[in-house]
Amino acid sequence: DLDICRSYLGQYRDEYVLGDKALLKMRIRKIHHSMFYAPVDNLINEAELLVKNIDPDSFPEEYNELLFLLGGNLGVLSGRFDYASEWLSKSMDYANEHNLDLFVHRNIRKQADILLYEGHVSEAVSLVNTIVSIDTPFEQIDSRYKIYLTGTLGECYRREGDLDKAWKCFDIIDRKSTKNHMPGWQAHSNLGKGMVMADKGMYE
């Protein structure tokens, strides 16, 4: 609950929050979850201030979380895709430098989404294929971020008109999200499958 989070964090000075891993994580999550109802520009300002004051050597994962938050979440939400891409590039460079593989996967997904939005479908497919492809064995899609990337791949194939491959990707998400109790992504798979059926003219 955000009210509980704000109340708890309000007990501590900023410099104390910046020096405590758990409090810092909570502060970042507060910004993240606020994006569903708060003006995005205010959240960007708050996150930019935080990223300037955090010590990356002490908190590398939290630092990268902020870089990704500014690019992949807040930047995309703002509609400023050049700004989003700039922060995603910073997050990707940092993740590669510090062997933070999950952040690499998260960045690739958002970078591919932006490429897809801009109409660069083949480039988006090539980027996603560095982690997963249509031929990746089912059991090797073994993290939530690989599941998300499979969804991006499905949308790429749908945009290209390869509806059988698109369906296969969305069906993988369906089975994986059902197995792993991810109802939001079950809904995502249903939406993807529905769009494929609509593209086929099978409106029933």
Side-chain angles (χ1 to χ4, degrees), residues 12-13 26 33 39 69 72 129 137 173:
Y12 302 97
R13 296 190 306 273
M26 183 181 287
H33 289 293
L69 178 66
N129 282 169
I173 296 175

Side-chain angles (χ1 to χ4, degrees), residues 67-158:
L67 298 178
F68 179 79
L69 178 66
L70 280 161
N73 298 124
L74 302 177
V76 170
L77 180 62
S78 75
R80 294 156 53 194
F81 295 113
D82 289 343
Y83 175 91
S85 294
E86 176 185 342
W87 283 101
L88 284 170
S89 292
K90 291 177 181 179
S91 180
M92 179 66 89
D93 290 344
Y94 191 86
N96 281 318
E97 182 182 347
H98 293 83
N99 299 312
L100 299 171
D101 289 343
L102 290 181
F103 280 103
V104 171
H105 297 179
R106 292 172 71 185
N107 276 288
I108 285 174
R109 175 190 164 212
K110 293 294 185 174
Q111 288 174 330
D113 284 345
I114 291 173
L115 285 169
L116 194 57
Y117 171 80
E118 294 174 341
H120 305 302
V121 182
S122 60
E123 291 94 330
V125 171
S126 295
L127 186 58
V128 174
N129 282 169
T130 62
I131 306 301
V132 295
S133 76
I134 193 72
D135 298 317
T136 299
F138 185 78
E139 64 275 6
Q140 290 182 20
I141 302 174
D142 53 6
S143 74
R144 57 187 283 200
Y145 299 113
K146 288 182 181 179
I147 296 172
Y148 300 168
L149 282 167
T150 304
T152 296
L153 192 59
E155 181 59 12
C156 288
Y157 286 129
R158 192 189 71 81

Side-chain angles (χ1 to χ4, degrees), residues 179-194:
K179 181 180 178 181
N180 291 286
H181 310 291
M182 299 162 63
W185 278 82
Q186 286 177 284
H188 188 106
S189 69
N190 288 333
L191 176 61
K193 286 180 172 181

